[in-house]
Amino acid sequence: MSFSVTRRAVLAATAALAVTSGSAFAQDKVQLRLSAVNSETDQRAVAMTEVFGPAVADFADFEPHWNGTLFAQGSELEAIASGDLEMSITAAQELATFFPDWSIFAAGYVMQDADHQVAVFNDPVMDPFKQEVREQLGVHLLAPMYLGRRHVNLRQTREEIDVQTPADLNGVNLRMPGTDAWQFLGRALGANPTPMAFSEVYTALQTGAVDGQDNPLPTVVDSKFYEVTNQIALTSHLVDWNFIAVSAELFDSLPAEQQEALTSAAVEAAKSGREAQLALEEEQVSFLREQGMEIYEPDVAAFREAVQSAYLESDYSSAWPEGVLEAINALGK
Ligand code: KDO
């Protein structure tokens, strides 16, 4: 039996095959390279890998690069702006180098806790801040990531330095991240801040190049800073947060349903990471004490008073738009 197969029939069969097999005819997936300096075991990395990546897998290839292996700390935003990177986990302190008014979100003793961060990020008060980042830097902020309560972590024993008030940090060489906003916070705490990339902190503590550093307990554990330090004064001087950031140009190129899927994936990942980080903060005081760390409460009121006064008397607060600090405070407890 002979039969002629028309060209139309072949094309129809091929198209049907492509649709069912999702092969070459399917839309190419968008590439999402993310660069961040935290480790792959940090809760932010776990959340992005286990929650965000799978949630966008239908239309995006999520490609995380941890430990600063793709871009150095603080260079990610410019990489996104120049089109060399699609995503990062950025910080208010990094955004403040481009937009001074962002320093309000990096100021000591302003953000109160994880819920406060979510409330502020989703409140209209934040809209002008997000808009200037989007319009002037080409970066779209998807969700806030809880990093945790930053404390003063020193090589010295409590017998050598008992941290009760900022006066006790006089002369202490405290590593702080590199931007001006971080250095100001180190001085407001009473210390001599040393700018240094996160990747160099362990060795600097080990060699005594610095006396201490400030990070949340989960970072002290994840980066094993407890191996090279002896005490933590629970100053809680900054309830720190990061932001899941994506190229605005890339985001705008996606169809609406993919924009919604990307946003909800980031929100869900941030929620997952926040809950994990809060649980770690609860349980790690005892873990760190088991490692021999002296952990204690200083005179937090004295630190709060000194730090808040330093900001209010500084050029930083003069860059804060009228009424924003009050609006942020009103969203807290
Ligand atoms: C740090 O360098 O101390 C810091 O905590 C600053 C944060 O903004 C963030 O970059 C963090 O490092 C890294 O994600 C490593 O935890």
Side-chain angles (χ1 to χ4, degrees):
M1 173 192 308
S2 69
F3 58 90
S4 67
V5 178
T6 66
R7 182 174 180 280
R8 181 190 297 273
V10 169
L11 284 176
T14 307
L17 181 64
V19 168
T20 51
S21 66
S23 67
F25 286 79
Q27 177 199 11
D28 287 342
K29 292 187 177 182
V30 67
Q31 184 187 39
L32 294 178
R33 293 168 299 174
L34 179 146
S35 182
V37 294
N38 55 273
S39 73
E40 67 286 352
T41 51
D42 179 286
Q43 290 311 314
R44 288 161 293 164
V46 172
M48 291 304 286
T49 304
E50 295 185 0
V51 178
F52 178 83
V56 300
D58 287 350
F59 61 92
D61 278 334
F62 178 58
E63 186 189 302
H65 296 265
W66 309 116
N67 300 299
T69 50
L70 192 59
F71 287 93
Q73 184 175 32
S75 66
E76 302 94 338
L77 287 170
E78 283 176 273
I80 293 175
S82 62
D84 297 317
L85 181 67
E86 290 76 45
M87 294 187 73
S88 77
I89 298 177
T90 190
Q93 296 84 351
E94 294 167 356
L95 291 163
T97 62
F98 298 93
F99 311 103
D101 55 359
W102 267 85
S103 63
I104 196 167
F105 303 115
Y109 296 110
V110 171
M111 300 311 294
Q112 297 170 20
D113 54 35
D115 290 341
H116 190 210
Q117 292 175 349
V118 175
V120 169
F121 186 81
N122 294 327
D123 188 87
V125 71
M126 200 126 187
D127 291 348
F129 294 92
K130 294 176 186 173
Q131 194 175 350
E132 68 181 345
V133 174
R134 188 182 231 282
E135 287 175 358
Q136 298 179 48
L137 204 53
V139 172
H140 177 69
L141 301 180
L142 289 164
M145 281 202 126
Y146 178 70
L147 179 48
R149 296 177 179 280
R150 298 181 81 99
H151 307 295
V152 172
N153 172 212
L154 302 180
R155 298 179 71 243
Q156 288 83 353
T157 64
R158 192 175 178 185
E159 192 177 353
E160 292 169 310
I161 300 181
D162 183 5
V163 179
Q164 289 304 317
T165 69
D168 297 316
L169 291 178
N170 184 31
V172 168
N173 179 358
L174 186 66
R175 175 271 172 181
M176 297 298 286
T179 71
D180 292 347
W182 280 117
Q183 298 299 300
F184 182 84
L185 177 54
R187 285 191 295 276
L189 287 167
N192 293 341
T194 293
M196 182 181 293
F198 182 76
S199 56
E200 298 167 30
V201 174
Y202 184 95
T203 304
L205 291 168
Q206 190 176 39
T207 61
V210 294
D211 295 321
Q213 67 89 33
D214 85 308
N215 256 287
L217 299 184
T219 301
V220 173
V221 173
D222 184 65
S223 297
K224 296 186 170 26
F225 292 155
Y226 60 83
E227 293 177 345
V228 289
T229 57
N230 285 297
Q231 69 162 290
I232 297 175
L234 298 172
T235 49
S236 286
H237 54 270
L238 180 66
V239 180
D240 206 7
W241 51 339
N242 287 160
F243 305 91
I244 303 174
V246 66
S247 155
E249 183 182 356
L250 179 144
F251 185 86
D252 293 344
S253 72
L254 299 175
E257 67 273 11
Q258 291 181 5
Q259 291 180 357
E260 286 159 23
L262 194 74
T263 304
S264 60
V267 170
E268 284 308 306
K271 180 173 182 288
S272 170
R274 175 166 61 247
E275 290 168 354
Q277 197 80 337
L278 286 164
L280 288 179
E281 283 188 309
E282 280 302 306
E283 70 196 33
Q284 286 179 333
V285 171
S286 51
F287 169 79
L288 288 165
R289 282 180 171 147
E290 286 160 16
Q291 308 309 313
M293 297 291 286
E294 294 171 288
I295 304 184
Y296 58 98
E297 290 276 346
D299 181 349
V300 174
F303 273 98
R304 177 182 286 106
E305 167 59 31
V307 168
Q308 289 183 335
S309 301
Y311 278 97
L312 293 177
E313 289 156 18
S314 73
D315 291 341
Y316 282 103
S317 55
S318 57
W320 300 347
E322 191 69 32
V324 170
L325 181 60
E326 292 75 9
I328 290 172
N329 292 339
L331 288 164
K333 290 188 171 63

